[in-house]
Short mmCIF file of all heavy atoms in Angstrom, two decimals:
data_model
loop_
_atom_site.label_atom_id
_atom_site.label_comp_id
_atom_site.label_asym_id
_atom_site.label_seq_id
_atom_site.Cartn_x
_atom_site.Cartn_y
_atom_site.Cartn_z
N LYS A 1 73.44 126.11 50.79
CA LYS A 1 73.55 124.88 51.55
C LYS A 1 73.69 123.66 50.78
O LYS A 1 72.76 123.08 50.17
CB LYS A 1 72.22 124.83 52.38
CG LYS A 1 71.83 123.54 53.03
CD LYS A 1 72.91 123.13 54.08
CE LYS A 1 72.48 121.74 54.79
NZ LYS A 1 72.68 120.55 53.80
N PRO A 2 74.96 123.18 50.64
CA PRO A 2 75.34 121.97 49.89
C PRO A 2 74.81 120.76 50.69
O PRO A 2 74.62 120.91 51.91
CB PRO A 2 76.67 122.02 49.73
CG PRO A 2 77.18 122.86 50.87
CD PRO A 2 76.21 123.79 51.20
N SER A 3 74.70 119.66 50.13
CA SER A 3 74.53 118.29 50.82
C SER A 3 75.67 118.09 51.73
O SER A 3 76.81 118.37 51.55
CB SER A 3 74.44 117.18 49.95
OG SER A 3 74.51 116.00 50.50
N GLU A 4 75.31 117.54 52.92
CA GLU A 4 76.40 117.14 54.00
C GLU A 4 77.21 116.12 53.43
O GLU A 4 78.35 115.90 54.03
CB GLU A 4 75.70 116.62 55.24
CG GLU A 4 74.81 115.36 55.11
CD GLU A 4 73.41 115.56 54.75
OE1 GLU A 4 73.14 116.63 54.31
OE2 GLU A 4 72.55 114.68 54.92
N PHE A 5 76.92 115.32 52.38
CA PHE A 5 77.78 114.46 51.68
C PHE A 5 78.81 115.04 50.87
O PHE A 5 79.86 114.40 50.64
CB PHE A 5 76.95 113.41 50.95
CG PHE A 5 75.97 112.49 51.75
CD1 PHE A 5 74.75 112.68 51.79
CD2 PHE A 5 76.59 111.62 52.59
CE1 PHE A 5 73.88 111.88 52.59
CE2 PHE A 5 75.81 110.62 53.36
CZ PHE A 5 74.36 110.96 53.29
N THR A 6 78.44 116.19 50.27
CA THR A 6 79.37 116.80 49.25
C THR A 6 79.42 118.32 49.26
O THR A 6 79.02 119.00 48.55
CB THR A 6 78.83 116.37 47.74
OG1 THR A 6 77.37 116.79 47.70
CG2 THR A 6 78.96 114.96 47.51
N SER A 7 80.11 118.68 50.31
CA SER A 7 80.21 120.11 50.69
C SER A 7 81.56 120.75 50.27
O SER A 7 81.59 121.98 50.13
CB SER A 7 80.02 120.47 52.19
OG SER A 7 78.61 119.99 52.57
N ALA A 8 82.56 119.96 50.00
CA ALA A 8 83.88 120.35 49.74
C ALA A 8 84.01 121.40 48.58
O ALA A 8 84.64 122.45 48.74
CB ALA A 8 84.85 119.29 49.66
N SER A 9 83.47 120.97 47.42
CA SER A 9 83.58 121.77 46.31
C SER A 9 83.04 123.11 46.32
O SER A 9 83.42 124.10 45.87
CB SER A 9 83.13 121.02 45.04
OG SER A 9 81.68 120.65 45.13
N THR A 10 81.84 123.24 47.17
CA THR A 10 81.12 124.50 47.31
C THR A 10 81.86 125.32 48.23
O THR A 10 81.98 126.59 47.90
CB THR A 10 79.65 124.26 47.90
OG1 THR A 10 79.02 123.40 47.07
CG2 THR A 10 79.01 125.57 48.01
N LEU A 11 82.43 124.84 49.24
CA LEU A 11 83.33 125.66 50.11
C LEU A 11 84.59 126.16 49.37
O LEU A 11 85.07 127.30 49.69
CB LEU A 11 83.67 124.82 51.36
CG LEU A 11 82.43 124.55 52.33
CD1 LEU A 11 82.82 123.45 53.27
CD2 LEU A 11 82.11 125.87 53.06
N GLU A 12 85.20 125.28 48.68
CA GLU A 12 86.36 125.73 47.94
C GLU A 12 85.97 126.81 46.82
O GLU A 12 86.77 127.80 46.52
CB GLU A 12 86.98 124.56 47.16
CG GLU A 12 87.58 123.48 48.14
CD GLU A 12 88.85 124.04 48.85
OE1 GLU A 12 89.36 125.23 48.73
OE2 GLU A 12 89.58 123.23 49.56
N PHE A 13 84.82 126.61 46.16
CA PHE A 13 84.38 127.56 45.31
C PHE A 13 84.18 128.98 45.82
O PHE A 13 84.38 129.98 45.16
CB PHE A 13 82.92 127.22 44.81
CG PHE A 13 82.31 127.88 43.61
CD1 PHE A 13 82.67 127.53 42.32
CD2 PHE A 13 81.62 129.03 43.92
CE1 PHE A 13 82.00 128.32 41.26
CE2 PHE A 13 81.00 129.88 42.90
CZ PHE A 13 81.23 129.39 41.61
N ALA A 14 83.81 129.03 47.13
CA ALA A 14 83.70 130.34 47.75
C ALA A 14 85.01 131.18 47.70
O ALA A 14 85.01 132.36 47.76
CB ALA A 14 83.32 130.16 49.34
N LYS A 15 86.21 130.42 47.70
CA LYS A 15 87.38 131.12 47.50
C LYS A 15 87.38 131.88 46.21
O LYS A 15 88.10 132.95 46.06
CB LYS A 15 88.60 130.25 47.65
CG LYS A 15 88.54 129.50 49.06
CD LYS A 15 89.72 128.46 49.00
CE LYS A 15 89.81 127.68 50.31
NZ LYS A 15 90.88 126.60 50.36
N LEU A 16 86.88 131.28 45.09
CA LEU A 16 86.87 131.89 43.78
C LEU A 16 85.94 133.13 43.84
O LEU A 16 86.20 134.13 43.20
CB LEU A 16 86.40 130.93 42.70
CG LEU A 16 87.12 129.74 42.56
CD1 LEU A 16 86.66 128.88 41.47
CD2 LEU A 16 88.59 129.94 42.27
N VAL A 17 84.81 133.07 44.53
CA VAL A 17 83.93 134.25 44.77
C VAL A 17 84.65 135.36 45.41
O VAL A 17 84.45 136.55 44.89
CB VAL A 17 82.67 133.86 45.48
CG1 VAL A 17 81.84 135.01 45.78
CG2 VAL A 17 81.87 132.69 44.73
N GLU A 18 85.36 135.07 46.45
CA GLU A 18 86.16 136.17 47.08
C GLU A 18 87.17 136.77 46.25
O GLU A 18 87.40 137.91 46.11
CB GLU A 18 86.78 135.53 48.32
CG GLU A 18 87.37 136.64 49.28
CD GLU A 18 87.74 135.98 50.58
OE1 GLU A 18 86.96 135.22 51.22
OE2 GLU A 18 88.98 136.20 51.01
N LEU A 19 87.88 135.81 45.49
CA LEU A 19 88.97 136.31 44.60
C LEU A 19 88.43 137.13 43.50
O LEU A 19 89.21 138.03 42.98
CB LEU A 19 89.77 135.09 44.14
CG LEU A 19 91.05 135.37 43.35
CD1 LEU A 19 92.03 136.09 44.36
CD2 LEU A 19 91.70 134.08 42.85
N ALA A 20 87.19 136.88 43.03
CA ALA A 20 86.65 137.68 41.98
C ALA A 20 86.26 139.07 42.26
O ALA A 20 86.14 139.90 41.49
CB ALA A 20 85.36 136.96 41.42
N GLY A 21 86.27 139.35 43.77
CA GLY A 21 85.97 140.71 44.16
C GLY A 21 84.46 140.92 44.67
O GLY A 21 84.08 142.08 44.93
N PHE A 22 83.84 139.88 44.84
CA PHE A 22 82.39 140.06 45.37
C PHE A 22 82.44 140.73 46.80
O PHE A 22 83.31 140.12 47.56
CB PHE A 22 81.51 138.74 45.38
CG PHE A 22 81.04 138.44 43.96
CD1 PHE A 22 81.86 137.83 42.94
CD2 PHE A 22 79.77 138.78 43.60
CE1 PHE A 22 81.37 137.41 41.83
CE2 PHE A 22 79.29 138.43 42.44
CZ PHE A 22 80.13 137.71 41.39
N PRO A 23 81.80 141.57 47.23
CA PRO A 23 81.70 142.13 48.47
C PRO A 23 81.49 141.02 49.53
O PRO A 23 80.70 140.07 49.28
CB PRO A 23 80.65 143.19 48.64
CG PRO A 23 80.42 143.64 47.20
CD PRO A 23 80.72 142.33 46.39
N LYS A 24 81.99 141.24 50.77
CA LYS A 24 81.75 140.03 51.73
C LYS A 24 80.22 140.11 52.23
O LYS A 24 79.56 141.20 52.13
CB LYS A 24 82.54 140.37 53.05
CG LYS A 24 82.16 141.64 53.77
CD LYS A 24 82.93 141.84 55.01
CE LYS A 24 82.50 142.92 55.88
NZ LYS A 24 83.14 143.23 57.12
N GLY A 25 79.74 138.93 52.34
CA GLY A 25 78.43 138.67 52.77
C GLY A 25 77.47 138.39 51.50
O GLY A 25 76.40 138.00 51.76
N VAL A 26 77.95 138.66 50.31
CA VAL A 26 77.12 138.50 49.23
C VAL A 26 76.81 136.98 48.93
O VAL A 26 75.74 136.53 48.63
CB VAL A 26 77.75 139.19 47.86
CG1 VAL A 26 76.95 138.75 46.73
CG2 VAL A 26 77.64 140.60 48.05
N VAL A 27 77.91 136.17 49.27
CA VAL A 27 77.78 134.70 49.10
C VAL A 27 78.30 134.11 50.38
O VAL A 27 79.29 134.36 50.84
CB VAL A 27 78.56 134.17 47.86
CG1 VAL A 27 78.47 132.62 47.85
CG2 VAL A 27 78.03 134.80 46.63
N ASN A 28 77.46 133.28 50.94
CA ASN A 28 77.65 132.53 52.27
C ASN A 28 77.35 131.02 52.08
O ASN A 28 76.53 130.71 51.20
CB ASN A 28 76.92 133.07 53.37
CG ASN A 28 76.99 134.56 53.43
OD1 ASN A 28 77.82 135.17 54.19
ND2 ASN A 28 76.10 135.30 52.81
N VAL A 29 78.15 130.18 52.86
CA VAL A 29 78.04 128.76 52.72
C VAL A 29 77.72 128.21 54.09
O VAL A 29 78.72 128.32 55.02
CB VAL A 29 79.16 128.09 52.11
CG1 VAL A 29 78.87 126.58 51.87
CG2 VAL A 29 79.48 128.73 50.68
N VAL A 30 76.59 127.51 54.36
CA VAL A 30 76.45 126.83 55.59
C VAL A 30 76.28 125.24 55.30
O VAL A 30 75.82 124.87 54.30
CB VAL A 30 75.24 127.23 56.42
CG1 VAL A 30 75.41 128.68 56.96
CG2 VAL A 30 74.07 127.09 55.52
N THR A 31 77.03 124.38 56.11
CA THR A 31 76.99 123.08 55.89
C THR A 31 76.42 122.33 57.09
O THR A 31 76.49 122.86 58.31
CB THR A 31 78.42 122.57 55.65
OG1 THR A 31 79.26 122.91 56.75
CG2 THR A 31 79.06 123.22 54.51
N GLY A 32 75.79 121.20 56.90
CA GLY A 32 75.40 120.40 57.99
C GLY A 32 74.19 119.60 57.55
O GLY A 32 73.93 119.34 56.36
N TYR A 33 73.43 119.04 58.51
CA TYR A 33 72.26 118.23 58.27
C TYR A 33 71.11 119.04 58.12
O TYR A 33 70.71 119.93 58.87
CB TYR A 33 72.11 117.26 59.38
CG TYR A 33 73.17 116.24 59.65
CD1 TYR A 33 73.95 116.12 60.85
CD2 TYR A 33 73.49 115.30 58.67
CE1 TYR A 33 74.90 115.28 61.07
CE2 TYR A 33 74.45 114.43 58.87
CZ TYR A 33 75.18 114.34 59.97
OH TYR A 33 76.22 113.40 60.14
N GLY A 34 70.38 118.72 56.97
CA GLY A 34 69.14 119.43 56.65
C GLY A 34 68.11 119.32 57.86
O GLY A 34 67.41 120.31 57.98
N HIS A 35 68.02 118.20 58.38
CA HIS A 35 67.01 118.07 59.46
C HIS A 35 67.30 118.71 60.78
O HIS A 35 66.33 118.99 61.60
CB HIS A 35 66.75 116.59 59.82
CG HIS A 35 67.96 115.91 60.41
ND1 HIS A 35 68.99 115.29 59.71
CD2 HIS A 35 68.25 115.73 61.81
CE1 HIS A 35 69.88 114.79 60.61
NE2 HIS A 35 69.48 115.00 61.87
N GLU A 36 68.62 119.30 60.89
CA GLU A 36 68.86 119.96 62.00
C GLU A 36 68.81 121.44 61.83
O GLU A 36 68.47 122.26 62.79
CB GLU A 36 70.39 119.65 62.39
CG GLU A 36 70.59 118.25 62.96
CD GLU A 36 71.97 118.02 63.54
OE1 GLU A 36 72.92 118.72 63.19
OE2 GLU A 36 72.18 117.10 64.11
N MET A 37 69.02 122.02 60.62
CA MET A 37 68.98 123.44 60.40
C MET A 37 68.26 123.92 59.22
O MET A 37 68.19 125.02 58.99
CB MET A 37 70.39 124.06 60.56
CG MET A 37 71.45 123.37 59.66
SD MET A 37 71.45 123.85 57.91
CE MET A 37 73.03 123.63 57.34
N GLY A 38 67.65 123.01 58.48
CA GLY A 38 67.01 123.35 57.23
C GLY A 38 65.93 124.18 57.40
O GLY A 38 65.65 125.16 56.66
N GLU A 39 65.02 123.84 58.42
CA GLU A 39 63.87 124.65 58.66
C GLU A 39 64.14 126.20 59.03
O GLU A 39 63.62 127.04 58.65
CB GLU A 39 62.96 123.97 59.70
CG GLU A 39 61.69 124.87 59.91
CD GLU A 39 60.63 124.06 60.85
OE1 GLU A 39 61.08 122.96 61.35
OE2 GLU A 39 59.61 124.62 61.15
N ALA A 40 65.27 126.36 59.70
CA ALA A 40 65.73 127.60 60.21
C ALA A 40 66.16 128.42 58.95
O ALA A 40 65.85 129.67 58.87
CB ALA A 40 66.84 127.57 61.27
N LEU A 41 66.65 127.86 58.01
CA LEU A 41 67.02 128.54 56.79
C LEU A 41 65.79 128.83 55.95
O LEU A 41 65.71 129.93 55.55
CB LEU A 41 67.96 127.58 55.91
CG LEU A 41 68.55 128.21 54.69
CD1 LEU A 41 69.24 129.53 54.85
CD2 LEU A 41 69.47 127.33 53.94
N VAL A 42 64.95 127.90 55.86
CA VAL A 42 63.76 128.17 54.86
C VAL A 42 62.87 129.21 55.59
O VAL A 42 62.26 130.00 54.92
CB VAL A 42 63.09 126.77 54.62
CG1 VAL A 42 61.71 127.11 54.01
CG2 VAL A 42 63.89 125.79 53.89
N ALA A 43 62.62 129.08 56.95
CA ALA A 43 61.72 129.83 57.61
C ALA A 43 62.29 131.16 58.01
O ALA A 43 61.52 132.00 58.57
CB ALA A 43 61.25 129.11 58.70
N HIS A 44 63.55 131.40 57.79
CA HIS A 44 64.14 132.79 58.31
C HIS A 44 63.47 133.94 57.75
O HIS A 44 63.23 134.13 56.48
CB HIS A 44 65.67 132.78 58.03
CG HIS A 44 66.47 133.80 58.78
ND1 HIS A 44 66.27 135.12 58.57
CD2 HIS A 44 67.32 133.59 59.83
CE1 HIS A 44 66.97 135.81 59.39
NE2 HIS A 44 67.74 134.90 60.24
#
């Protein structure tokens, strides 16, 4: 979960993870406001 102000590099980085051959689902990226979905992530 990158900051909502600076998510681009993390999302582009995910392409490198995929190209390296990591199985799908091993690395995931969610973006947005922490106050809207942060608790759902922490408490899941």
Side-chain angles (χ1 to χ4, degrees):
K1 164 58 178 77
S3 166
E4 64 271 19
F5 293 107
T6 54
S7 296
S9 59
T10 304
L11 289 161
E12 296 286 10
F13 185 92
K15 298 176 183 178
L16 301 182
V17 173
E18 188 171 313
L19 193 60
F22 284 83
K24 68 177 185 178
V26 170
V27 176
N28 306 270
V29 185
V30 292
T31 59
Y33 294 118
H35 67 270
E36 290 185 346
M37 49 80 156
E39 184 172 358
L41 180 58
V42 172
H44 197 289

